[in-house]
Amino acid sequence: AVLAPQEVGGLFRVLRMLTAAGTAIVFISHKLNEVMEISNRVSVLRHGRLVATRATTETNGAELARLMIGEDFELPHVADTVPDDAPVGLEARDLRHVDERGVPRLKGASFSVRHGEIVGIAGVDGNGQQELAEVLTGLRQAHGGKVVIGSTDVTGSSIAARIRLGLAHVPEDRQRTGVVDLSIAENAILDTVDREPISRRGVLSHKAIGDFAARLIREYDVRCTGPEQRVTTLSGGNQQKVILGRALSRAPRVVVAVQPTRGLDVGATAFVHRELLEQRRAGAAIVLVSTELDEILSLSDRVLVMYAGRIVGELARKDVRLDRLGAMMTGQVAA
């Protein structure tokens, strides 16, 4: 997950050398293209059971995906273009951040995202992507530069103020940042606990909370026993659906989604992708931070590459080549 394409190729060469020397290797992954490339045989697990074993030469990615989720499906992708005159929804201007140890993590990041556009941030883990997302959303302080939502400078604003301006955040770490150890219903209202109809004059409406949670469970297909189930007892995919429902059900104008499908199976991944594309169609300006290049390339209108705290290149979707993208991710070339 944290390797650039060239580094993945190097890893696979090592694995092939080991198998040629007689080593038996079990390769566990939800990346179907890698499974097809490196494996001799593929076993598929679904709901804890072995459902099929195939020789790799006798199957393909579509069949494996069908076996994984139990039905035919196709991962959604961007198919149209963003109008050139679409207004800017989010802008970062020369953003800088120094971490608690005094190490510069952002070194002058600048970009903008238009309404109805998904801008993908690609890069090997640890090159400033997480810090960028947290500065945009207010979880970290900017030590230089500006964050602008619409026409409002929010650089010094609270997280709550950014939420009121239409910002939604899908955080990287579901357990530590995305949910708290409370019920599904209580997690569902974390962003809107101070708004009607959830609360009036500081008093919570339990009926409104229950109605909202029930609708979220239904619309986002959260597999659970009901709104009162503790969110931490759900699977990772269902926790992610609760987080998505909380963030996206209020029709946000700006979305910052960080590793939104990390650890999810192909069915849950397709669900997340469909929801992000639906928000794009509704006019949201979306920043997608992901180490999954397939995800970046499927969903992004433009791809920005981060290396060592800087944005070192920008590519339109139609201009992306994996070899050049990988070279940019490892700091070998600029765009």
Side-chain angles (χ1 to χ4, degrees):
V2 300
L3 301 182
Q6 290 92 329
E7 295 170 322
V8 173
L11 169 64
F12 284 3
R13 283 192 293 275
V14 171
L15 294 181
R16 291 188 181 100
M17 289 169 59
L18 289 171
T19 55
T23 303
I25 295 178
V26 178
F27 181 78
I28 302 172
S29 178
H30 61 269
K31 297 183 179 183
L32 297 182
N33 60 326
E34 294 185 358
V35 169
M36 292 297 298
E37 180 179 349
I38 200 65
S39 303
N40 302 102
R41 287 183 294 122
V42 185
S43 291
V44 178
L45 296 176
R46 186 170 72 239
H47 302 308
R49 297 181 183 275
L50 178 66
V51 296
T53 297
R54 300 279 191 274
T56 307
T57 55
E58 298 174 359
T59 188
N60 54 52
E63 183 189 21
L64 294 179
R66 185 168 62 251
L67 290 167
M68 289 170 67
I69 67 171
E71 60 185 24
D72 287 328
F73 97 112
E74 182 179 354
L75 278 174
H77 58 277
V78 169
D80 57 356
T81 57
V82 181
D84 292 335
D85 59 352
V88 171
L90 175 68
E91 187 174 4
R93 302 175 184 169
D94 195 32
L95 283 183
R96 299 175 184 274
H97 175 76
V98 179
D99 70 11
E100 298 81 2
R101 298 175 298 170
V103 178
R105 294 298 184 185
L106 292 179
K107 304 173 184 177
S110 298
F111 66 95
S112 62
V113 189
R114 293 174 290 176
H115 284 294
E117 179 182 40
I118 297 178
V119 170
I121 309 292
V124 176
D125 251 353
N127 278 277
Q129 305 98 305
Q130 181 177 349
E131 288 81 3
L132 174 63
E134 292 182 354
V135 168
L136 292 175
T137 56
L139 289 173
R140 289 178 184 257
Q141 177 185 358
H143 295 133
K146 291 184 177 182
V147 179
V148 180
I149 295 177
S151 58
T152 304
D153 183 348
V154 298
T155 311
S157 300
S158 66
I159 297 171
R162 300 179 200 215
I163 290 174
R164 285 193 291 271
L165 285 171
L167 175 71
H169 180 207
V170 180
E172 176 176 8
D173 192 323
R174 285 188 288 274
Q175 279 76 32
R176 295 181 61 186
T177 312
V179 299
V180 293
D181 189 16
L182 296 170
S183 69
I184 295 172
E186 289 165 316
N187 275 270
I189 63 164
L190 291 178
D191 288 353
T192 53
V193 68
D194 59 340
R195 300 186 197 178
E196 294 188 1
I198 301 302
S199 65
R200 289 186 173 89
R201 298 178 181 177
V203 179
L204 292 174
S205 168
H206 293 288
K207 182 180 185 305
I209 294 170
D211 290 346
F212 175 72
R215 187 173 77 250
L216 184 151
I217 288 169
R218 182 176 63 254
E219 293 179 354
Y220 286 81
D221 190 30
V222 180
R223 308 297 173 88
C224 63
T225 59
E228 296 308 313
Q229 182 177 348
R230 295 189 85 83
V231 75
T232 50
T233 64
L234 299 176
S235 69
N238 283 296
Q239 288 181 15
Q240 194 73 343
K241 290 178 180 179
V242 173
I243 294 168
L244 282 171
R246 181 180 68 209
L248 304 184
S249 60
R250 53 190 171 85
R253 300 301 294 155
V254 175
V255 178
V256 178
V258 187
Q259 312 291 2
T261 61
R262 175 170 282 175
L264 301 187
D265 65 30
V266 68
T269 294
F271 180 90
V272 173
H273 287 186
R274 284 194 295 270
E275 292 301 315
L276 290 176
L277 289 175
E278 182 58 35
Q279 293 302 314
R280 176 184 179 272
R281 283 189 288 271
I286 301 174
V287 177
L288 172 63
V289 179
S290 179
T291 55
E292 302 279 1
L293 287 185
D294 289 345
E295 182 168 70
I296 290 284
L297 299 180
S298 295
L299 300 181
S300 302
D301 297 282
R302 289 183 290 131
V303 179
L304 306 180
V305 181
M306 288 197 72
Y307 176 75
R310 292 185 172 88
I311 294 175
V312 297
E314 175 181 330
L315 298 168
R317 183 176 69 248
K318 62 181 178 60
D319 298 328
V320 173
R321 297 197 326 267
L322 279 181
D323 57 344
R324 187 167 184 79
L325 186 61
M328 292 163 62
M329 288 170 61
T330 51
Q332 298 176 42
V333 297

